[in-house]
Amino acid sequence: MEAVLWYVLTGTRGGENRVRILKTVEEQPRNANQLAETLDLDYKTVRHHLDVLMDNDVVQRSGDDYGAVYLPSPRCRANWGTVETIVERMD
C-alpha cells in the first residue's frame, strides 16, 4: 500500500488535489458535492480524483450513489504515517 500511496499522491498529475481530498475525508466523511464546495474544485474534477482513489483502494464509499460519503479505506488508515510523510514532503 505504501507504494500505491506514493504513486497516486505524488507520481501522477493531480496528486496535490488527491492529497487535499484524502485529508478532508479523513477529518470528516463527505460526499462529492461537499468536497467540491469545501475544496473549491469542480464537481467533475472531484469525481475523477475520487474514482482514482477508489480504484487504488485509498478511499471507500459508504451509501448510495449521489449521497455516498467517502472516507479513507482501512488499508489507507493502516498506512496513515505514509500519507503524513507525503504531505510533509509536498509542503
Side-chain angles (χ1 to χ4, degrees):
M1 184 61 169
E2 186 174 335
V4 169
L5 288 168
W6 278 102
Y7 174 72
V8 170
L9 301 178
T10 66
T12 59
R13 254 180 49 177
E16 185 176 316
N17 282 331
R18 287 192 277 278
V19 167
R20 292 176 64 209
I21 289 169
L22 184 57
K23 286 173 51 179
T24 302
V25 298
E26 195 273 331
E27 290 172 8
Q28 176 183 336
R30 300 168 201 239
N31 65 32
N33 190 51
Q34 292 168 326
L35 285 166
E37 289 178 14
T38 300
L39 300 173
D40 195 27
L41 293 171
D42 183 73
Y43 176 81
K44 288 182 182 181
T45 300
V46 169
R47 291 289 320 153
H48 166 74
H49 290 306
L50 286 170
D51 288 343
V52 171
L53 292 168
M54 284 187 52
D55 289 347
N56 288 280
D57 195 27
V58 178
V59 299
Q60 64 184 28
R61 178 174 55 205
S62 178
D64 60 6
D65 289 336
Y66 181 75
V69 294
Y70 296 84
L71 59 152
S73 70
R75 287 182 67 206
C76 179
R77 286 191 186 279
N79 290 277
W80 196 256
T82 301
V83 174
E84 290 176 344
T85 299
I86 291 168
V87 169
E88 286 173 12
R89 292 198 181 168
M90 292 179 90
D91 289 339

